[in-house]
Amino acid sequence: MVTIGSSHDELPRETAGPTEVLVVGAGPVGLALACDLARRGVGVRIIDRAATHPVGTRARGVRARTQEVFEDLGVLGRLTEHAEAPTPTRFYDTAGNVVREAVLYDAPPVPGAPYPGSLMVGQQHTEAALRERLAALGTRVELGTELVALDQDGAGVTASVLVDGRVDGARQEIRARYLVGCDGGGSTVRKRAGISFLGETWDRQRMLFGNLAVDGLDDSVAHMWAQGPDGMLTLSPMPRSGTWFFTAPLPADDDQEASAASVETFAEIFAQRVGLPGVRFHDPVYLSVYQANIRMVDRYREGRVLLAGDAAHVHTPAGGQGMNTGVQDAYNLGWKLARVLRGAPEALLDTYEEERLPVAEHVLASTTARGRSWAGTDTARVSERMVGAFQGRDPFSDVSQLGVTYRGSSLARDLDEALGVRAGDRAPDARVVDPATGDSVRLFDLFRGTHLTLLVFGSRPVPPVDDGAYGEVHVHRIPPGGEAHDLYGVDRDGLVLVRPDGYVALAGGDWDDRTVSDYLGRLSGS
């Protein structure tokens, strides 16, 4: 048994009933993972050391690919109810003149992508929608429950937690087959598991973030001022939340501590940087000081302990990639963890790091480069780059995350080069005709759920699939013609096996009776 530290060994212990997966951290990443596991019938508990659910905008841009994930998890409709209406962003130069006005998140249509733009939703609403979905699946967040130690052996993990944060209270032990740390950049799970967090802290670069009421500004637009080398000062109306979202770089020589963030601090920074008279700040909801860190783990897993989201990677906020990358972590891990718990080889979990670690490396590099390109006082240049990034013209990466691919992964198998789509690619959406009913249906409707999906284009026989041996596989014959053939690059015959997370597992134009069953056998260890 491996024992990983605790400073509370003297406290009395209580033993809780076992569970299959313990998720530590109830932000968007932990909640998305818990929802995905629960809908697959996995026994899951999710704990958070906070005594109450947090409020505030925080991560607010739900990018295109994350919207697709949330649609599959059954929460996108609820998020849409809380989404802010698109408003123009007004960019000002150092003299206060308007240099540009544009709808920042108005991305052009993308073939095969139903949600090309960004959904602007305060994080509190994202978390609330996920908690609601999780509760409908039979699981609730356990607040006031702080992880203090981990023990793991070949059969599982024992998590020692303090309930209600009382140091003099009973220490409870939770036994789980796996534990996933989704507990943020300061992750206790990561530290207790002994996983390195490599990178750097930008001590001289800190940001003020907050939600508060603002008087004296036009609330029909968002406002951005390019005022220095460290980034933009922004004020964005959030009428659904009844607040404004405020961000500003903190002066490098300011000793302001996170605990001391105040309305007065925000007002002083605004007066110094903008100097616009008649603007008043009041009634704060959420205030914080953000310290820029560029760090990531050297591995995503230590035995039966895994990491996701900010616990595994942190970076600058340029491009709004943090929450979105973390949700993609959870979506990649969920189906794999569920299959392993139902008998698949544990090596399947190794593909989580194999596929997601390179993505994190790219996100760190691209957000760093993007953040630097957005800094400065040349508002025309900065605004052009910002607008371009969210409208599909970013030179560093695709901020929509639609272009994330797992090509080259050990789970990606190309039979040949007959198709335009390749194993490891995100499977695009398309309208097809259901041969059984004659109705038009979306491929995403066929993909939705916990199963794999086999698409067969052309007239060749459908290869046999034994659901009992390999798990549930839904098979669909795609009629000739139409946008699916175009988007998947199928001229005649084609076979595409889509993973539960919407990525192509297997693709090609030539196959036999064993092609699909052999691939699925690898996933199931048979």
Side-chain angles (χ1 to χ4, degrees), residues 210-257:
N211 285 103
L212 67 173
V214 179
D215 298 331
L217 274 181
D218 182 355
D219 62 3
S220 68
V221 298
H223 306 265
M224 290 192 176
W225 293 267
Q227 296 291 330
D230 297 325
M232 305 283 285
L233 187 152
T234 74
L235 275 164
S236 303
M238 302 287 288
R240 294 276 191 176
S241 302
T243 67
W244 288 69
F245 185 50
F246 178 111
T247 74
L250 194 66
D253 57 353
D254 197 314
D255 293 328
Q256 184 78 27
E257 296 294 333

Side-chain angles (χ1 to χ4, degrees), residues 209-517:
F209 286 88
N211 285 103
L212 67 173
V214 179
D215 298 331
L217 274 181
D218 182 355
D219 62 3
S220 68
V221 298
H223 306 265
M224 290 192 176
W225 293 267
Q227 296 291 330
D230 297 325
M232 305 283 285
L233 187 152
T234 74
L235 275 164
S236 303
M238 302 287 288
R240 294 276 191 176
S241 302
T243 67
W244 288 69
F245 185 50
F246 178 111
T247 74
L250 194 66
D253 57 353
D254 197 314
D255 293 328
Q256 184 78 27
E257 296 294 333
S259 60
S262 65
V263 174
E264 290 73 23
T265 303
F266 281 41
E268 181 181 355
I269 295 293
F270 184 81
Q272 292 173 351
R273 303 288 179 85
V274 179
L276 188 65
V279 177
R280 185 173 75 92
F281 301 94
H282 58 97
D283 294 330
V285 173
Y286 152 75
L287 304 174
S288 71
V289 174
Y290 165 80
Q291 173 69 66
N293 283 280
I294 316 297
R295 295 182 178 274
M296 64 176 291
V297 294
D298 58 347
R299 61 193 186 281
Y300 273 55
R301 177 185 175 200
E302 178 62 35
R304 290 177 173 267
V305 177
L306 301 104
L307 300 174
D310 285 357
H313 42 76
V314 292
H315 45 80
T316 77
Q321 299 296 283
M323 178 191 71
N324 294 277
T325 302
V327 169
Q328 308 306 320
D329 286 346
Y331 199 51
N332 183 285
L333 176 60
W335 72 274
K336 297 174 181 178
L337 192 51
R339 290 187 75 93
V340 169
L341 286 163
R342 297 298 175 260
E346 192 163 312
L348 182 60
L349 293 179
D350 294 333
T351 68
Y352 169 56
E353 176 183 312
E354 176 192 358
E355 293 182 340
R356 294 304 298 172
L357 191 144
V359 172
E361 289 177 333
H362 180 67
V363 168
L364 261 66
S366 62
T367 53
T368 298
R370 185 181 300 114
R372 287 172 173 157
S373 79
W374 287 3
T377 58
D378 185 345
T379 306
R381 176 185 62 81
V382 171
S383 61
E384 181 180 13
R385 292 178 178 180
M386 292 187 71
V387 173
F390 291 106
Q391 294 186 357
R393 302 187 304 276
D394 186 80
F396 307 107
S397 72
D398 173 12
V399 298
S400 73
Q401 300 200 355
L402 293 170
V404 171
T405 180
Y406 303 137
R407 289 190 183 190
S409 161
S410 59
L411 294 183
R413 183 185 173 197
D414 284 308
L415 302 175
D416 49 45
E417 298 182 357
L419 307 188
V421 74
R422 288 288 186 268
D425 290 350
R426 164 190 161 275
D429 194 14
R431 282 278 174 184
V432 298
V433 175
D434 185 343
T437 65
D439 296 333
S440 175
V441 296
R442 292 173 59 202
L443 287 181
F444 276 17
D445 290 334
L446 303 181
F447 297 163
R448 187 178 301 121
T450 61
H451 56 273
L452 293 94
T453 307
L454 182 64
L455 305 179
V456 183
F457 297 81
S459 58
R460 293 190 59 184
V462 175
V465 177
D466 183 353
D467 273 359
Y470 308 121
E472 190 176 13
V473 181
H474 291 188
V475 181
H476 299 279
R477 170 83 70 178
I478 306 301
E483 64 176 344
H485 283 256
D486 294 336
L487 290 171
Y488 284 75
V490 181
D491 291 329
R492 299 183 63 183
D493 297 321
L495 187 77
V496 179
L497 180 66
V498 181
R499 301 175 358 176
D501 60 354
Y503 282 85
V504 175
L506 184 72
D510 187 22
W511 64 90
D512 59 33
D513 283 353
R514 297 294 307 171
T515 298
V516 176
S517 58

